[in-house]
Amino acid sequence: MTEQNRPAKLGPVATFAGRSLEVLRDMILDGTLSPGERLNEVHLSQALGISRGPLREAIQRLASEGLVEAVTHRGVYVRSFSARELSDFYELRIALETHAVRLAARYAPQERIDELGRMLDDTESSMGSDATGSYPADPDFHARLARLAANPPLIQALTDVGRKIQLARARSAHQPRRARTALDEHRTIVAALDDRDGDHAASLLEAHLSSSLNSALAVLRAAEPD
Amino acid sequence: MTEQNRPAKLGPVATFAGRSLEVLRDMILDGTLSPGERLNEVHLSQALGISRGPLREAIQRLASEGLVEAVTHRGVYVRSFSARELSDFYELRIALETHAVRLAARYAPQERIDELGRMLDDTESSMGSDATGSYPADPDFHARLARLAANPPLIQALTDVGRKIQLARARSAHQPRRARTALDEHRTIVAALDDRDGDHAASLLEAHLSSSLNSALAVLRAAEPD
DNA sequence: ATCTCGCAAACTGTTGACAGTTGTCAGCTC
DNA sequence: GAGCTGACAACTGTCAACAGTTTGCGAGAT
């Protein structure tokens, strides 16, 4: 008997419905499926090589996550969010993430905070000296920050709202102009964490997220000035 | 087309899967299905008078809500939460609800705050003068409080975590001894809202929720001291 | 031309059956 | 008696087909 452990943790979800959920979520978040677009169950199931049963189960979860909206007898649509809804999402994210950072300031082991700082160093060096690079590691930074709170339900809630924000921003991706600014703001947050000053870290984070929101709103309203 | 109105106001969801979701959620939250219990798809579908297809869709949503856990090829189980998880849920709830009350202090129309006060009056008179009554309107109070923030995603997040807390507390329902105390604390929160003092309202609310958590933990640990 | 009515195509909601896996238990081995 | 083995029962995952609803379109009337 080899010590073959069960693939419970990392292995792909062994079930069509579970894998379809991840595939569909990725398709929505990377724009393969656009906001407002209708999901045709027959076409999708054929494209995924499965039948409609597991596909519908995956869709139910997406609906529960708020990424699609199901209308009875009429179909499911990729959600399309208004500027107001984007603001609400950010407000929610601020509530969660500032609380997370306060918890982190109190309880996170020093080593993890140091890791976060080193990660910013790596990002900066790979970004080069010009301020026009994008900031692909931004979501990763916030995800790591959330994990410092060591509160799984809180992390999950942040993950959920983060996905909705990503969808709401759709093609209005990060402006490269803000990349350097964002990185600097991240540095100040880590510094406050290093000082174990939760209040300061929280206020810096709130300002950072507000800037991010305003930047997104500007792009959004420039595209659709309704 | 950013119409976010719900397709139906009160009528049942017109679909088996949708109605089953609500029925199952109620069964879990009222204890008809106990934590740790396994959901047999065949038995359940027969009991609900539907087939396994829509039932499985409902179960997927319950899994997404965190009320059940699905194990591949082995079945779905009503989640059973540890004391630690209950604490994490409360921590999350504190983050959300204190933020909500701050928003309420800033933006809620006075009329709604007055309503909340009158609701407490009604509760008190129906509770009688003895301090031993239960406090069935407690969840309602918190739900109304959340709605004052006028932020649907925030309200939804609070609803979700509220359900998990209800399940985690299971049969350790509110102690009647705390009913009067809780009502008094609710009054102070509304008073702070009336003063538009968000910081004060938030700190009162945090203390209130901490008391609630400690009360629940005491009952929980008395029942299962491991 | 425009509006209305009705029919047909397309699609979703639901079902019952099939396939593969898990858990159990009797029987056998040591 | 403890532990292994293999078959059986129960259950989940998946599929293909059926049923009811929505939608688009065209014939006919105004």
Side-chain angles (χ1 to χ4, degrees):
Chain A
M1 285 294 188
T2 59
E3 49 181 46
Q4 192 71 303
N5 283 339
R6 58 199 54 186
K9 280 285 181 184
L10 278 182
V13 186
T15 178
F16 284 171
R19 273 182 289 187
S20 301
L21 170 64
E22 295 172 13
V23 171
L24 287 176
R25 190 159 50 205
D26 288 345
M27 290 175 74
I28 292 172
L29 292 182
D30 72 12
T32 305
L33 296 171
S34 306
E37 186 172 345
R38 175 194 180 127
L39 305 190
N40 185 311
E41 293 183 1
V42 177
H43 295 164
L44 259 183
S45 63
Q46 287 171 352
L48 296 176
I50 62 177
S51 73
R52 285 176 53 224
L55 174 64
R56 283 174 62 89
E57 293 180 17
I59 288 176
Q60 288 297 317
R61 290 191 81 134
L62 287 176
S64 184
E65 293 178 10
L67 297 182
V68 303
E69 181 181 17
V71 185
T72 309
H73 281 298
R74 215 165 290 183
V76 309
Y77 300 82
V78 179
R79 287 228 48 185
S80 173
F81 295 115
S82 65
R84 173 58 193 270
E85 287 170 304
L86 177 61
S87 299
D88 285 345
F89 288 146
Y90 263 92
E91 191 70 53
L92 171 57
R93 179 175 170 186
I94 287 173
L96 294 168
E97 206 162 330
T98 57
H99 201 87
V101 84
R102 278 180 217 273
L103 291 176
R106 257 190 286 172
Y107 302 120
Q110 186 63 37
E111 185 197 344
R112 293 293 164 79
I113 296 177
D114 297 340
E115 272 178 28
L116 214 55
R118 285 196 297 275
M119 177 193 154
L120 291 180
D121 294 339
D122 294 347
T123 300
E124 179 151 22
S125 57
S126 77
M127 202 163 74
S129 57
D130 55 349
T132 58
S134 66
Y135 191 175
D138 179 275
D140 193 30
F141 173 81
H142 287 279
R144 284 168 186 266
L145 195 63
R147 260 175 274 158
L148 294 188
N151 184 328
L154 176 55
I155 295 170
Q156 183 63 50
L158 267 169
T159 303
D160 287 348
V161 72
R163 291 203 188 106
K164 291 180 203 163
I165 287 176
Q166 188 179 345
L167 176 57
R169 299 186 70 160
R171 358 197 145 283
S172 82
H174 290 289
Q175 307 179 77
R177 189 175 55 76
R178 249 193 70 77
R180 188 31 151 272
T181 308
L183 182 68
D184 290 342
E185 290 169 354
H186 287 178
R187 278 206 184 285
T188 64
I189 293 167
V190 174
L193 272 182
D194 203 59
D195 294 341
R196 302 292 175 175
D197 188 342
D199 287 342
H200 191 209
S203 83
L204 289 171
L205 178 61
E206 178 166 357
H208 170 63
L209 291 177
S210 291
S211 294
S212 177
L213 167 62
N214 286 330
S215 164
L217 284 179
V219 177
L220 214 67
R221 290 186 168 128
E224 276 193 64
D226 74 302
Chain B
M1 50 189 302
T2 54
E3 181 140 16
Q4 63 176 14
N5 281 344
R6 321 214 45 146
K9 277 191 176 181
L10 281 181
V13 186
T15 177
F16 284 173
R19 274 182 290 187
S20 299
L21 170 64
E22 295 172 12
V23 171
L24 286 176
R25 191 159 49 204
D26 287 346
M27 288 176 74
I28 290 173
L29 292 181
D30 73 11
T32 305
L33 296 171
S34 306
E37 186 172 345
R38 175 195 181 128
L39 304 189
N40 184 310
E41 294 184 0
V42 175
H43 295 164
L44 258 183
S45 63
Q46 288 171 351
L48 296 176
I50 63 178
S51 72
R52 286 175 52 222
L55 174 64
R56 283 175 62 90
E57 293 180 17
I59 288 176
Q60 289 296 319
R61 290 190 81 134
L62 287 176
S64 184
E65 292 179 10
L67 297 182
V68 304
E69 181 181 16
V71 185
T72 309
H73 280 300
R74 216 166 289 183
V76 308
Y77 300 82
V78 179
R79 287 227 47 186
S80 175
F81 295 115
S82 64
R84 172 58 191 269
E85 287 171 303
L86 177 62
S87 299
D88 285 345
F89 288 145
Y90 262 93
E91 192 69 53
L92 171 57
R93 180 175 170 186
I94 286 173
L96 294 167
E97 205 161 330
T98 57
H99 201 87
V101 84
R102 279 180 217 271
L103 291 177
R106 259 189 284 173
Y107 302 120
Q110 186 63 36
E111 185 198 343
R112 293 294 164 80
I113 296 176
D114 297 341
E115 271 179 29
L116 213 54
R118 285 198 297 274
M119 178 193 152
L120 292 180
D121 293 340
D122 293 347
T123 300
E124 178 152 22
S125 57
S126 77
M127 203 164 73
S129 57
D130 55 350
T132 58
S134 66
Y135 191 176
D138 179 275
D140 192 30
F141 173 80
H142 288 278
R144 284 168 186 266
L145 195 61
R147 260 175 275 159
L148 293 188
N151 184 327
L154 176 55
I155 295 170
Q156 183 64 50
L158 267 168
T159 303
D160 287 348
V161 71
R163 291 203 188 105
K164 291 179 202 163
I165 286 176
Q166 188 179 345
L167 176 57
R169 300 186 69 160
R171 3 196 142 282
S172 81
H174 290 289
Q175 306 179 77
R177 190 174 54 75
R178 250 193 69 77
R180 187 32 149 272
T181 307
L183 182 68
D184 291 341
E185 291 169 353
H186 287 178
R187 279 206 184 284
T188 63
I189 293 167
V190 174
L193 272 181
D194 202 59
D195 294 340
R196 302 292 174 174
D197 188 342
D199 287 342
H200 191 208
S203 81
L204 289 171
L205 179 60
E206 178 166 355
H208 170 63
L209 291 177
S210 290
S211 294
S212 177
L213 167 61
N214 286 330
S215 165
L217 284 179
V219 176
L220 215 66
R221 289 185 168 128
E224 277 194 61
D226 78 296

